[in-house]
Structures are given as structure tokens and as C-alpha cells.
Amino acid sequence: MPVKDLEQFDGMLLAMAQQHEGGVAELLETIFSFLARKTDFYTGAGEAAAESLVMSTFKKHQANAVQAHAKKKKENEEADRKRKEKLAKAKEEEQKQTKEKEGSKITELTDEEADKLQKEIDAKKTQDPKPETPVAMEAEKASKSDDEEEDEKEKGKLKPNSGNGADLEHYRWTQTLADIELRVPLPVNSAVKSRDVCVKIQKHHLTVGLKGQTPIIDGELQHEVKLEESTWVLEDGKALLINIEKINKMEWWSKLVMTDPEISTKKINPEPSKLSDLDGETRGMVEKMMYDQRQRELGRPTSEEQKKQEMIQKFMAQHPEMDFSKCKFN
């Protein structure tokens, strides 16, 4: 009988199993007792036939179970290896940034150098005065207003860690456009087993912790995740490494679960090496996002705003007879 047909009895068998406190041994006792009392299984075709049927069926499903277990173990080991590589890379990057910060020094200018620099700045202002036309003044005013509004929205948000996620009190998470990696140290003094932990990944919810204790994480995920590609492993019996696959691979998460503090996604800095892994269309969109992000940080117009400005300038050039001095361009 095909596996799909066999699965239709899972609900009934699970209900039976839950009523046998003695476990599998007690469940088998009930099944073989039923065959002895209600059927001619043992005598219909002779003792040898019954025993042969039981053993052949057992060996078939044993082989399937062993093969599935070996495959799952291999997948977990491979996922564990990749996570450890990512973790090592993140730590290396963090150490590198720390060394760079420690190695950087502030250079103090002498009085002569300061005077020279100020003269250069004044000369540049004289050579390239800022236009004070009504259109320019309105544009500058609108730009300042937008910047202030933008700063207000970003106020209170955390700066992303080296992995574009957040380092929180009880766990650390990092992200790429494709997935999220979560590391949760367990509050234990000695190593625990997989059976001692509780990890429940749902499309919109995540629960992580030790069985019998208050969960370390128990909240609604910010966005939907792909269950079949999300996995977890126990690291050295003292920490959980969880990989969560995103459904939407074109957006950055600003928080893991809705109760977390929010990070500023505008300050995210994706690794350039990862862009080569994307297809042409996706890579183009990501590069555009990165360009617009840099432009905002520098107080310059984004690619869309540049297009609008070019269209306005072109229209103004085509219609010199029109007066645009009182126009306000957004």
C-alpha cells in the first residue's frame, strides 16, 4: 500500500498510542493480542507464515526509517556546519571592526593648518555660491523638511549589528535577504540534550526555550517564514542555532518578533560578496536599494527623485516662456 494511503490511519493510531502509557511495547501488545483474539492471523496460514510476514514487514519499515534518519542527520550536520561557518565569519568581522575602531586616531590640526583649511573653504564658497532663486529656496526648504521627518521616524531605532540584525539581552540574530540566523544561549550550567529544549517554528510565530520553563522567545514573527526550509540545532548542549527562511526575499526585517526593539533598516550594510549569488533582476533591485540608501545617508536625492528632477528640468527647458519661480516641486 502506498505511503499516502497508510497515512490516512495516522490520526487513529496516534489516538491509540496516546492511551498506552507503557509506550510502544504496550501498543504492540494490544495489536498482537487483537490479531490473536479476533483473527486467524497466527493459524490461518501456519505459524511460519505469520512470523515471516511480521519479520518482512518489520525489516522493510526498519530500512526506511534508518535511511530517513541517516538523511536527516546528514542534513542537520551540513546545516550545523554552515551555521558555524557563518558564526565564525560574523565573529571575525566583529573583531576586525573592533580592531579598526581601536586603531583609528583623531588627528589634531595645527593653527596654521586650520587657517589654511578655512581659507580653502571660504574660497570654494566664493567660487561656487549657492543659488538663492525661489525654486532653489523652496527645494531646500522641502529637502530639510523631509530630512527632519525622516530623522523623526528613525529616532529611537537601534543600529544594526555586524550581521544586519540585533544583539539583544537573551539572544542575537543576523540576517541576509534570504534568511535569518538566530543564536540563543541557554540559561544552564551544564550541557542539555535535544529532548530538553523546545523549539517551535510556525509561519507567523516562534517559541524557543527549555521544557518546563518560561520560553526565552515566545512571540509573533514580523513576517511570514518558510517552514520546510527552517531548521535548528543544539550547539555544545548550551546554545540553540536556528535558521529561519524568509518568504519575501526582497525585504529587510527591522525586528525578529513584534515585541523586540526595532533596528534601522536604512543603516543595514549587506555584504557585497552576497550580491553575486542573486539572479540578474534581483541583483539589480538590491543594488538600487543600496544606492538609494547611500544617497539618503548623504542627504542626496534617490534614483526616483533624480528622475523626477530630470523630468522637471527638461520640461522647464522646453517651456522658457513659463514662469516657474512660484512653483514648489516635491
Side-chain angles (χ1 to χ4, degrees), residues 41-86:
F41 175 73
Y42 296 101
T43 58
E47 289 185 30
E51 184 177 355
S52 176
L53 179 59
V54 169
M55 291 308 299
S56 64
T57 305
F58 168 80
K59 288 179 179 179
K60 180 180 75 172
H61 291 288
Q62 181 190 39
N64 292 339
V66 169
Q67 184 179 0
H69 177 73
K71 182 181 178 183
K72 186 66 176 176
K73 184 179 179 182
K74 185 177 180 181
E75 290 175 351
N76 287 341
E77 288 174 349
E78 180 64 16
D80 189 29
R81 183 187 65 78
K82 288 182 179 179
R83 287 191 187 87
K84 286 182 178 179
E85 284 181 358
K86 281 186 180 180

Side-chain angles (χ1 to χ4, degrees), residues 16-163:
M16 286 177 59
Q18 289 170 356
Q19 296 180 44
H20 289 76
E21 296 181 0
V24 175
E26 190 175 310
L27 177 63
L28 290 175
E29 182 75 25
T30 298
I31 292 172
F32 283 112
S33 172
F34 167 77
L35 292 173
R37 290 180 292 101
K38 299 296 182 179
T39 72
D40 64 348
F41 175 73
Y42 296 101
T43 58
E47 289 185 30
E51 184 177 355
S52 176
L53 179 59
V54 169
M55 291 308 299
S56 64
T57 305
F58 168 80
K59 288 179 179 179
K60 180 180 75 172
H61 291 288
Q62 181 190 39
N64 292 339
V66 169
Q67 184 179 0
H69 177 73
K71 182 181 178 183
K72 186 66 176 176
K73 184 179 179 182
K74 185 177 180 181
E75 290 175 351
N76 287 341
E77 288 174 349
E78 180 64 16
D80 189 29
R81 183 187 65 78
K82 288 182 179 179
R83 287 191 187 87
K84 286 182 178 179
E85 284 181 358
K86 281 186 180 180
L87 188 61
K89 189 174 181 181
K91 286 182 179 177
E92 184 181 342
E93 183 65 25
E94 195 170 344
Q95 290 173 354
K96 182 180 176 183
Q97 290 182 0
T98 302
K99 286 181 180 179
E100 288 175 354
K101 286 181 181 178
E102 291 175 350
S104 62
K105 295 180 180 179
I106 298 174
T107 304
E108 188 172 334
L109 297 176
T110 64
D111 292 340
E112 292 180 359
E113 290 172 332
D115 290 339
K116 184 179 179 182
L117 180 61
Q118 185 61 50
K119 288 178 181 178
E120 290 177 357
I121 293 172
D122 293 341
K124 188 174 181 181
K125 285 182 178 178
T126 304
Q127 293 172 2
D128 187 21
K130 187 176 181 180
E132 294 295 335
T133 63
V135 173
M137 292 172 68
E138 287 293 339
E140 183 182 358
K141 184 178 177 183
S143 176
K144 286 182 179 178
S145 177
D146 290 343
D147 289 343
E148 288 172 1
E149 185 179 344
E150 200 67 44
D151 290 342
E152 191 64 30
K153 288 180 181 178
E154 294 297 303
K155 192 175 181 180
K157 292 183 181 180
L158 300 177
K159 182 180 178 181
N161 60 21
S162 58

Side-chain angles (χ1 to χ4, degrees), residues 82-83 86 163-164 173-182 225-226 229-231 242-253 256 274:
K82 288 182 179 179
R83 287 191 187 87
K86 281 186 180 180
N164 297 320
W173 65 275
T174 60
Q175 65 175 321
T176 66
L177 281 170
D179 61 13
I180 286 177
E181 183 171 285
L182 169 65
V225 300
K226 190 182 293 186
E229 300 295 333
S230 300
T231 57
I242 303 170
N243 186 267
I244 300 173
E245 193 79 10
K246 296 179 180 179
I247 290 285
N248 186 346
K249 300 185 185 299
M250 284 306 302
E251 69 181 340
W252 296 106
W253 288 27
L256 178 66
K274 296 295 182 184

